[in-house]
Amino acid sequence: MKPFDRVLIVDWSGGNDRGPRPKADAIWAAFNDTPAEYFRHRQAFETWLMTVLEAEIDAGHRVFLGFDFPFGLPEGMAKPITGQDDPFAFWNWVTERVEDAPKRNNRFDVGAEANRAFEGVGPFWGNGLARDIDGLPRKGRSRTAQVTERRLAEADAKGAFPVWQLAGVGSVGSQMIMGLPVLQRLRLKFGDDISIWPFDAHDTAVKVVEVWPSLTVRSQAPEGMVKDAWQVETVARQIAALSPREQYDLLHEDIPDAARAEEGWIFGLGQEALMMATDLKPPPLSNDCFALPPGHHWTPIEDAWQILQDRLRCVVPQQKTPLAEAQGYVLAKDVVALRSHPPAANAAVDGYGFAQSSLTEGDQLLPLHPGRAAAGVPLQGSVPDGFAVRVLTGAIIPDGVDTLVLEEDCAINDTHIAFRAPVKKGANMRRAGEDSEAGEVVLRAGRILRPQDIALAASVGVGELTTFAPLRIGVLSTGDELAVPGTPADQAQVYDANRPMLLGLARSWGCTALDLGHAPDDRDALREILNRASERCDMILTSGGASAGDEDHVSAVLEDTGSMALWRIALKPGRPLALGVWNGTPVFGLPGNPVAAFVCALLFGYPSARLLSGAGWAKPSGYIVPAAFKKSKREGRREYYRARLTPNGRAEVFASEGSSRVSGLSWATGLVEMGFDAEDVNQGDPVRFLPFAEFGI
Ligand code: AMP
Ligand code: MG
């Protein structure tokens, strides 16, 4: 089945024109990717819907079209009215009778006419009009006919109303009577392009599905928004967020026979948690999350790490990702083997199989059993004792075989093979489940998925993974002196090297990199940029202006929010790091010098991005190698030198420690990490080398 491209959810109404201004209890419709639209009456909606569906079909799209009224009557209840069990006979019956205009309709009369098909007072009840209608009681208890009150779906869905009630708060009978004719016209107009769930089994461009927002919308509408609008938007988003596999399962599984044949069913019933899980998003970070303990002047780097590790947590929602697209995503749920790998014992070589117990001492001569076992084509029947059979790599081990001998170790003619004993029982075979056992956890949540991890999930039959949505990292450069590379610049200007560098880092980390451009040294402009950026970013990296000077606007505006902490980390390169929370989004104010910006992005940005993305904290450990340099380091701070390994595995460092020397960054393949204390390093002394690969690049 082709997955749905769009989901359109409609909150229906059985009433009259609600006027031009958006109101509750009218018709509201929302696609998963558009705000809800208001329709004052059914006629306006129907015209719109026909146009929209035509456009979607023309575009080759598949549309999930949900309506919130019952598509059928309780089992056996349509037959007295139409003479048939077929739900579409009832749709037709209603369509032939309903008269609908913006300001008047005959829904109560249609209900009354249906009632007259029953012995005694029929099932429909409730009259919203002043005039009495023959055959339509005002109260449910006045009914005397044999009535099946609820469909199976209503029996399961707590709080759902029976179809029979035509008036009163929450009733759905009128909506059904006024809705079925519209659906019937859709069927006529779109023919083979439309199907009705769950009655029609086939798949079409448009699938019309019964939904019930109260089932899965538990959140309140935001202030000032009409509840119906909120509900259709939410349901549309929930359904669109299901994976194609989940959508398929919800449409095809566990629907009772009577519902499928006659009554209809509510999409997602029994699977509410699955649908609601899709709009769970962790709450934003609190404003004080970067506060330092009082009394700190210079923060040791370990303390800085500890604070980040304690205060940051995953901020991205979960999603489903098809296996083939999963590389670089963070796994959000453990992967459990759906079946063993291999599922059955199979051959590890091309050769011959037999029962080991049939071997004798010394040289062996075994007659050949006809046929062969190949990968994907098992041998039919079993191999008698004392016979050998041809077996190819990957073939399921035939019955009667428990040992294989390599083809290269055999002399072969048309009828026999000869080889030397002994051959160990079970030789040259792969045991069932020797790689992975069904039910075993093969990959743990938090892993950043690599191609080989994806192969492992595939080998145990898993086709889709629950991953975290990629962290959206915004990158902003600040400073009046910056010029865009590729454009002319005067001598006073500096080409913006940090922005493309940091965007590249974000991408290497498997995150979505968002270019926030370049901010002038102006606080209002900066605030405006951060306001907009915090709406669409989960983390913001800025560079420049992070210190405490006059032109250090990043720290100044972060300071205004009260959320800022200026971290003076005992570290070279890297001056103060300005950390703040802007509208819930953490902002890492990196130094402007490219070398310091890069090193701070690796040391603080990388592990923080991992935590925020659900991958967990990671401290690079590197390895110890002999130094290919000589240096005297002073006490009181950590130092990181741009470094690379020589062909004989020694660490050499870049000639200059200048913090603006971008060439050294490009030259290096990692960093040499020096401790807090004073130290004299001589050629051959052990030093710690941290390859860039340990920082996700
Ligand atoms: P700041 O941290 O703003 O005082 O900047 C420190 C130094 O880094 C200054 O020399 C800036 O010109 C330079 N700088 C700031 N931002 C960038 C950038 N995006 N690309 C290259 N150099 C920069
Ligand atoms: Mg600056």
Side-chain angles (χ1 to χ4, degrees):
M1 179 181 86
K2 182 175 177 291
F4 292 103
D5 298 284
R6 298 185 87 190
V7 177
L8 172 59
I9 301 297
V10 185
D11 185 318
W12 196 241
S13 160
N16 289 336
D17 189 354
R18 298 282 291 156
R21 301 251 317 243
K23 283 191 192 65
D25 297 328
I27 296 173
W28 286 90
F31 278 103
N32 53 298
D33 47 7
T34 60
E37 280 196 58
Y38 168 80
F39 299 90
R40 61 188 291 178
H41 48 58
R42 285 178 293 279
Q43 288 71 24
F45 171 79
E46 191 170 337
T47 312
W48 175 84
L49 180 67
M50 296 290 181
T51 318
V52 163
L53 289 183
E54 265 175 18
E56 293 292 330
I57 293 171
D58 282 352
H61 286 171
R62 271 203 90 204
V63 180
F64 181 112
L65 173 55
F67 284 89
D68 69 334
F69 58 79
F71 287 4
L73 300 177
E75 188 177 13
M77 294 299 286
K79 186 141 192 197
I81 304 172
T82 64
Q84 297 176 50
D85 293 324
D86 180 357
F88 294 131
F90 180 65
W91 289 31
N92 217 12
W93 186 93
V94 176
T95 306
E96 282 170 357
R97 285 160 181 81
V98 161
E99 294 163 18
D100 194 6
K103 300 217 183 288
R104 83 157 285 287
N105 69 65
N106 65 345
R107 63 189 191 271
F108 297 109
D109 301 286
V110 172
E113 186 180 342
N115 272 1
R116 287 195 285 275
F118 291 83
E119 295 245 355
V121 183
F124 284 105
W125 67 278
N127 180 351
L129 306 178
R131 74 178 158 92
D132 286 330
I133 298 175
D134 185 30
L136 185 68
R138 289 190 182 268
K139 300 273 183 230
R141 60 173 183 274
S142 315
R143 295 173 297 170
T144 57
Q146 276 278 355
V147 177
T148 304
E149 192 64 11
R150 290 170 192 278
R151 299 184 299 158
L152 294 171
E154 278 114 27
D156 275 11
K158 240 175 104 191
F161 275 59
V163 301
W164 306 118
Q165 187 181 340
L166 298 183
V169 178
S171 60
V172 294
S174 286
Q175 300 197 26
M176 175 182 71
I177 291 178
M178 299 314 294
L180 292 180
V182 177
L183 300 192
Q184 183 72 340
R185 284 192 285 278
L186 284 182
R187 293 180 70 218
L188 286 178
K189 179 173 165 75
F190 291 108
D192 288 345
D193 283 330
I194 203 162
S195 57
I196 311 293
W197 179 83
F199 310 135
D200 293 323
H202 58 291
D203 286 318
T204 47
V206 179
K207 193 158 243 352
V208 186
V209 179
E210 181 182 336
V211 298
W212 189 42
S214 306
L215 194 65
T216 55
V217 184
R218 306 279 160 84
S219 52
Q220 296 287 326
E223 201 69 28
M225 185 171 184
V226 174
K227 180 179 164 209
D228 312 34
W230 171 246
Q231 289 198 332
V232 289
E233 286 185 9
T234 306
V235 173
R237 266 199 310 264
Q238 287 175 336
I239 295 174
L242 294 168
S243 70
R245 172 84 229 184
E246 288 167 338
Q247 290 173 343
Y248 181 91
D249 287 348
L250 289 184
L251 288 171
H252 291 84
E253 276 176 13
D254 287 341
I255 300 159
D257 289 343
R260 201 183 287 280
E262 203 180 337
E263 295 189 342
W265 187 249
I266 296 169
F267 182 79
L269 187 57
Q271 294 289 344
E272 295 82 349
L274 177 67
M275 283 181 58
M276 289 190 293
T278 57
D279 42 40
L280 275 186
K281 189 183 186 310
L285 298 170
S286 71
N287 251 2
D288 59 358
C289 86
F290 296 125
L292 288 175
H296 265 65
H297 185 60
W298 284 99
T299 307
I301 193 166
E302 267 80 14
D303 293 6
W305 278 329
Q306 193 60 53
I307 291 172
L308 291 173
Q309 189 176 355
D310 290 346
R311 312 261 178 90
L312 296 177
R313 50 175 171 66
C314 177
V315 294
V316 285
Q318 300 186 4
Q319 61 178 23
K320 301 287 174 170
T321 306
L323 211 52
E325 289 160 30
Q327 187 187 342
Y329 283 86
V330 179
L331 192 61
K333 285 200 181 133
D334 291 352
V335 175
V336 176
L338 294 180
R339 70 170 201 183
S340 297
H341 181 250
N346 72 25
V349 298
D350 287 349
Y352 294 85
F354 45 80
Q356 198 246 11
S357 59
S358 61
L359 298 191
T360 53
E361 296 266 301
D363 289 352
Q364 305 295 316
L365 182 69
L366 294 184
L368 278 172
H369 181 72
R372 60 166 209 175
V377 194
L379 183 84
Q380 301 299 320
S382 90
V383 179
D385 233 29
F387 282 77
V389 72
R390 178 74 169 137
V391 177
L392 300 178
T393 306
I396 289 196
I397 302 299
D399 275 354
V401 171
D402 60 16
T403 304
L404 302 186
V405 59
L406 232 86
E407 163 180 315
E408 292 85 334
D409 293 342
C410 298
I412 307 153
N413 70 15
D414 287 349
T415 56
H416 286 77
I417 60 167
F419 56 94
R420 289 230 160 102
V423 183
K424 250 174 82 185
K425 185 167 175 182
N428 299 314
M429 288 172 36
R430 307 169 179 145
R431 272 182 302 108
E434 71 174 20
D435 192 20
S436 310
E437 292 271 9
E440 178 189 341
V441 173
V442 293
L443 292 168
R444 291 271 172 208
R447 175 181 284 265
I448 301 173
L449 293 160
R450 304 165 305 159
Q452 57 270 45
D453 303 323
I454 292 168
L456 175 55
S459 74
V460 293
V462 174
E464 183 179 80
L465 302 174
T466 306
T467 64
F468 288 110
L471 189 77
R472 296 162 304 173
I473 301 185
V475 175
L476 177 69
S477 290
T478 70
D480 284 337
E481 76 279 26
L482 296 185
V484 177
T487 65
D490 64 36
Q491 300 293 318
Q493 289 183 295
V494 176
Y495 283 121
D496 181 358
N498 292 347
R499 186 149 50 107
M501 173 178 77
L502 296 172
L503 287 166
L505 277 182
R507 277 184 216 108
S508 303
W509 298 341
C511 301
T512 303
L514 299 170
D515 189 346
L516 304 178
H518 159 219
D521 284 325
D522 173 279
R523 296 186 187 180
D524 288 333
L526 192 55
R527 276 189 207 98
E528 199 34 50
I529 291 173
L530 289 177
N531 280 342
R532 269 183 284 124
S534 59
E535 300 260 300
R536 59 190 190 111
C537 301
D538 304 306
M539 176 184 194
I540 297 173
L541 302 177
T542 69
S543 67
S547 263
D550 294 350
E551 294 296 325
D552 287 319
H553 304 286
V554 171
S555 41
V557 303
L558 286 176
E559 188 94 61
D560 291 347
T561 66
S563 73
M564 214 260 307
L566 196 61
W567 291 18
R568 290 183 193 78
I569 296 164
L571 166 72
K572 184 186 169 194
R575 288 177 318 171
L577 190 64
L579 292 166
V581 179
W582 195 274
N583 296 337
T585 302
V587 181
F588 287 66
L590 305 170
N593 272 311
V595 176
F598 185 75
V599 170
C600 287
L602 296 195
L603 294 179
F604 304 106
Y606 172 62
S608 301
R610 286 191 52 140
L611 260 188
L612 295 165
S613 356
W617 189 260
K619 184 178 178 312
S621 55
Y623 38 83
I624 306 288
V625 295
F629 62 92
K630 194 169 157 20
K631 227 172 192 77
S632 237
K633 184 201 156 284
R634 72 180 177 93
E635 193 196 335
R637 65 184 184 204
R638 275 283 181 83
E639 293 192 4
Y640 289 88
Y641 308 137
R642 281 150 279 175
R644 67 182 187 191
L645 294 183
T646 62
N648 58 2
R650 294 173 166 242
E652 56 177 338
V653 297
F654 191 59
S656 159
E657 284 176 39
S659 178
S660 60
R661 301 280 285 263
V662 184
S663 59
L665 288 179
S666 175
W667 172 92
T669 59
L671 300 171
V672 160
E673 180 184 66
M674 303 292 291
F676 190 81
D677 299 329
E679 198 178 339
D680 286 326
V681 180
N682 287 305
Q683 298 274 352
D685 286 352
V687 291
R688 184 172 296 278
F689 179 75
L690 308 176
F692 285 149
E694 291 201 23
F695 297 100
I697 41 174

